[in-house]
Amino acid sequence: MSSYQSNQIKLINTSLIDPHPDNPRKNIGDVTDLAASIKTNGLLTPLSVVPNGERYRVIAGHRRLAACKQAGTGAVPCFVLQLGPLQQLEAMVTENCQREQLTVLEEADAIQGMLDLGATTASVAHRLGRSGDYVRDRVKAASIKTEVRASRDDFGQISIGQLVAIARYDGRPDLQKELAQAAGTSNFDYTLRRIERDENDRQWVESVAALLGEPDNGINLIPDPEKPYSDPEWRYLGCMFPSTGTPEEAIEKIREQNPAAVSIHTVSQQVYLWTRRDKTADAEKEARRAAEQAERDARRHALEEYAAASADKRMAWLHANLHGIKRDKLVETTARLGLLQIIDPFPNGFTDALTSWNEHSGSRKEYEKISGIAAEDAPTAARISLQTADWPLEAVTILAARIEWFIDPTDWTTVNDIGRRIPGYYQILQDLGYTPTDDETSHLDQLIAAISEADENEEDEENNQ
């Protein structure tokens, strides 16, 4: 303030003095304690004011003016200065900066105001006793629009470094708001790097697109196909990423590969390369694919037919023969079937089945085929029979029904928990007198061989560890 100071002091009533509308400091804070001190001791430091018609505007001492008005002070000593608009703003910025009363953003807006009034970066830096970079950084921060500043209540507390980073994306309020939300957190640097990477990729794609759009460049630029993997004309050949090199280097590499066409994919920030489809070759490939699928479908259908037929045959045999098997043999079979199911997807075994049988789970339908009792009556009939002397017959029926329910067609060709039970189940049935067909024997032999091979491979892996 010394270069603008006056030696003449004038007593002016506080009712005639107004805060300056361009005061950089937007919030003067609580002045209660200062008002109490002024009421007791008076105003020790004069205000600095400039004439404004018949009134005055304070240049230095906004807090003191507010405290004087709160204390009810009448006339106060003032230095009356004759300053132009730029000098007024310079004086207020200097006074506030010296007292460290401005936030970074308040200081930035004030510096921009000084530049708007005709000051130069060098003169502002000299006036504030700061470097040119100091002033330039705050000018960048001042460029941040009100829309972005309003994205968080404490925007003015963001550090100058982060404000400069936010200002870098002028014209992209979406990115600026995202950075503003991350400011002051450990996530800011990550967010900034991601945005920088995405923006660099976007600029790379735009530059490549501009080069491809030049006339007579010899590269066929086409719109990006809507269905890139099933387009009737174009077949995907490859792509160019921003990591390929500079836009010019990417163009040279495209020329080397000599694709039939290229397209710009802005979403993934890539340049796609295309070759024309060989419709004859594609048709032959599709025919082979269809034939292979038809063969797989036929094998699956045959396996399903076999599984259904063999299951019907087993359960029909059980229905016809279980009643003729001696009790001690049934007890033994109950134990063997129970042991076979000891590792069961339903840990509670057939007991659980009695409480969960319904049309969608359990083994009611299989139970009906073996016992001849209607599926809807299965739970009641099973509970009653298990409490009689004929419980071994009922137990064998329930356990066999449960195994039949678990067996899926794919279990005949897949080594899993259920597939491993099938050979043991057949051994139990054969011990009861069941005779497998040649088809069943063939499928059993294949399944046993697959299980043995899987066990050997597992053993080799364990030995190699």
Side-chain angles (χ1 to χ4, degrees), residues 45-158:
T45 304
L47 306 179
S48 294
V49 299
V50 293
N52 181 38
E54 296 181 356
R55 300 180 65 81
Y56 297 87
R57 285 177 175 173
V58 67
I59 294 295
H62 283 81
R63 280 178 54 80
R64 282 170 280 157
L65 173 63
C68 285
K69 290 186 176 184
Q70 183 173 315
T73 306
V76 294
C78 299
F79 292 113
V80 181
L81 312 177
Q82 300 297 325
L83 304 175
L86 175 58
Q87 292 174 316
Q88 292 177 29
L89 186 54
E90 285 180 341
M92 286 187 288
V93 172
T94 303
E95 194 264 347
N96 279 293
C97 288
Q98 288 174 346
R99 294 173 180 270
E100 297 183 354
Q101 292 177 331
L102 296 180
T103 67
V104 171
L105 203 56
E106 287 174 337
E107 184 183 13
D109 289 339
I111 288 174
Q112 182 61 57
M114 294 164 66
L115 296 177
D116 292 341
L117 290 172
T120 64
T121 300
S123 66
V124 172
H126 176 74
R127 183 65 187 168
L128 299 180
R130 303 288 188 176
S131 68
D133 287 340
Y134 181 95
V135 173
R136 282 186 286 272
D137 281 348
R138 278 145 185 82
V139 170
K140 292 175 184 176
S143 71
I144 300 174
K145 303 293 189 296
T146 303
E147 174 190 358
V148 178
R149 298 185 185 194
S151 63
R152 56 185 290 176
D153 294 337
D154 60 344
F155 192 90
Q157 304 303 317
I158 297 176

Side-chain angles (χ1 to χ4, degrees), residues 339-387:
L339 288 172
L340 185 63
Q341 295 190 64
I342 202 165
I343 302 175
D344 194 295
F346 290 87
N348 293 329
F350 69 84
T351 303
D352 181 64
L354 296 182
T355 60
S356 65
W357 271 349
N358 54 51
E359 293 300 324
H360 306 289
S361 65
S363 49
R364 282 193 185 192
K365 292 181 179 179
E366 290 77 9
Y367 178 87
E368 179 178 349
K369 291 180 181 180
I370 296 173
S371 68
I373 297 173
E376 59 268 21
D377 298 329
T380 301
R383 287 190 183 90
I384 293 172
S385 297
L386 285 173
Q387 298 176 37

Side-chain angles (χ1 to χ4, degrees), residues 197-198 200-209 212 229 236-254 257 262-273:
R197 182 182 66 250
D198 291 346
N200 289 337
D201 290 351
R202 182 183 63 80
Q203 293 173 10
W204 181 88
V205 166
E206 289 179 353
S207 298
V208 173
L212 290 171
Y229 299 107
Y236 177 74
L237 185 64
C239 65
M240 294 290 179
F241 299 90
S243 59
T244 301
T246 65
E248 292 75 16
E249 290 171 342
I251 295 295
E252 288 305 313
K253 290 184 179 181
I254 291 173
Q257 295 196 28
V262 297
S263 68
I264 304 296
H265 194 67
T266 55
V267 175
S268 61
Q269 309 292 7
Q270 298 173 11
V271 178
Y272 285 176
L273 281 57

Side-chain angles (χ1 to χ4, degrees), residues 172-250:
R172 293 293 306 275
D174 55 332
L175 299 182
Q176 289 185 313
K177 289 177 183 178
E178 185 178 358
L179 285 170
Q181 291 304 313
T185 72
S186 59
N187 197 41
F188 182 84
D189 289 341
Y190 167 79
T191 302
L192 179 60
R193 287 194 300 271
R194 176 177 55 76
I195 289 176
E196 289 174 341
R197 182 182 66 250
D198 291 346
E199 284 297 288
N200 289 337
D201 290 351
R202 182 183 63 80
Q203 293 173 10
W204 181 88
V205 166
E206 289 179 353
S207 298
V208 173
L211 293 173
L212 290 171
E214 293 178 354
D216 303 324
N217 66 10
I219 300 176
N220 181 23
L221 179 63
I222 63 172
D224 201 32
E226 294 182 4
K227 299 179 179 179
Y229 299 107
S230 60
D231 188 83
E233 183 177 0
W234 302 105
R235 182 170 62 82
Y236 177 74
L237 185 64
C239 65
M240 294 290 179
F241 299 90
S243 59
T244 301
T246 65
E248 292 75 16
E249 290 171 342

